[in-house]
């Protein structure tokens, strides 16, 4: 006949069994916990991409208006109205930005924007080696670099509209609608990618894990009571 277990032996066996149950239940909970999956916000932040206003080598031919080329002709009022819509639209960009991203409410312009075109623009000189640029060419430069898109067709309605609206923006800036002293380098404007990363928001999976609730098996083992 097997000799009876002592109190200490029974207590030790109880602990082993209880530990095994806890490990098994913990594994089961972890397997079913949807929050244990890889956090989708851990993927590479798209806003960590290079600032679209950063210096980029550019072939001047891409934004220089060809000799003899003609731009789209239409009503100034209609073009200005269409240009105002395109100014805030992201459809002509490949990165989700718009003209308004850098120039909302007249911000982001340098003092040189008050000068009649053509004139020297730092951005054009630094990125394409152009010493003097026309307004429509400046529009093409912005489409090519900050908006990361292909230059518009020289005879397109879109280019004519954006150029016409740019004239209005220039007039408003020059007239003092916006304090020229408060103007900023368009590349110094707040980087839209610096906005709070949507993935930085509180991770729904970071909420208190329902599986972390007090394990009912962790309650005082009745078998551990004094023999």
């Amino acid at each position: 006949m097997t000799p009876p277990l002592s109190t200490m032996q029974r207590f030790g066996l109880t602990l082993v069994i209880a530990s095994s149950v806890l490990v098994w239940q913990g594994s089961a909970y972890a397997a079913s916990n949807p929050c244990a999956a890889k956090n989708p916000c851990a993927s590479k932040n798209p806003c960590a991409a290079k600032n679209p206003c950063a210096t980029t080598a550019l072939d001047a031919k891409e934004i220089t208006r060809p000799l003899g080329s003609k731009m789209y002709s239409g009503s100034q009022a209609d073009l200005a109205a269409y240009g105002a819509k395109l100014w805030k639209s992201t459809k002509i960009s490949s990165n989700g930005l718009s003209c308004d991203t850098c120039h909302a409410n007249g911000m982001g312009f340098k003092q040189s924007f008050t000068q009649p075109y053509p004139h020297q623009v730092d951005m054009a000189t630094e990125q394409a080696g152009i010493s003097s640029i026309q307004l429509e060419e400046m529009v093409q430069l912005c489409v090519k670099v900050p908006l990361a898109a292909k230059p518009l067709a020289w005879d397109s309605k879109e280019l004519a509209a954006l150029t016409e609206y740019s004239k209005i923006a220039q007039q408003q800036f020059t007239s003092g609608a916006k304090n020229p002293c408060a103007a900023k380098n368009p590349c110094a404007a707040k980087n839209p990618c610096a906005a709070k990363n949507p993935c930085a928001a509180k991770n729904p999976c970071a909420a208190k894990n329902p599986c972390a609730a007090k394990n009912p098996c962790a309650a005082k083992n009745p078998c551990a009571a004094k023999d």
Side-chain angles (χ1 to χ4, degrees):
M1 180 180 295
T2 303
L5 297 176
S6 67
T7 299
M8 290 303 296
Q9 287 176 322
R10 279 185 290 164
F11 179 69
L13 181 60
T14 299
L15 289 179
V16 170
I17 295 174
S19 297
S20 299
V21 170
L22 288 175
V23 170
W24 176 81
Q25 290 191 336
S27 299
Y29 277 122
S32 62
N33 181 8
C35 293
K38 187 176 180 181
N39 181 2
C41 293
S43 58
K44 188 175 181 180
N45 179 5
C47 292
K50 188 176 181 180
N51 180 354
C53 290
T55 301
T56 303
L58 179 68
D59 185 351
K61 293 181 180 178
E62 292 187 83
I63 60 170
T64 300
R65 183 177 173 182
L67 292 175
S69 63
K70 293 183 178 181
M71 292 188 65
Y72 178 91
S73 178
S75 163
Q76 287 186 330
D78 291 342
L79 288 175
Y82 184 39
K85 292 181 180 179
L86 291 177
W87 187 269
K88 296 184 178 182
S89 174
T90 60
K91 292 182 178 180
I92 61 174
S93 74
S94 68
N95 55 12
L97 303 184
S98 70
C99 300
D100 200 59
T101 300
C102 289
H103 301 299
N105 300 316
M107 297 301 290
F109 294 119
K110 277 193 168 184
Q111 185 63 29
S112 60
F113 191 50
T114 62
Q115 301 174 19
Y117 281 90
H119 66 255
Q120 188 272 337
V121 175
D122 289 344
M123 186 177 175
T125 301
E126 294 169 359
Q127 301 194 23
I130 298 175
S131 59
S132 182
I133 191 169
Q134 296 283 358
L135 181 55
E136 63 270 20
E137 294 173 331
M138 191 63 212
V139 171
Q140 294 282 46
L141 175 57
C142 289
V143 170
K144 177 65 179 178
V145 181
L147 303 188
K150 293 182 179 180
L152 301 168
W154 292 102
D155 60 352
S156 68
K157 183 177 180 180
E158 288 73 19
L159 177 58
L162 281 172
T163 301
E164 192 62 37
Y165 185 75
S166 294
K167 293 177 183 178
I168 295 176
Q170 183 186 35
Q171 291 170 358
Q172 292 175 340
F173 182 79
T174 303
S175 67
K178 293 294 179 181
N179 181 1
C181 296
K184 297 180 180 180
N185 182 340
C187 293
K190 186 175 182 181
N191 183 354
C193 290
K196 188 173 182 181
N197 179 0
C199 292
K202 187 173 182 181
N203 180 358
C205 292
K208 188 173 181 180
N209 183 353
C211 297
K214 189 173 181 180
N215 185 347
C217 294
K220 188 173 182 180
N221 185 349
C223 297
K226 187 175 181 179
D227 188 25

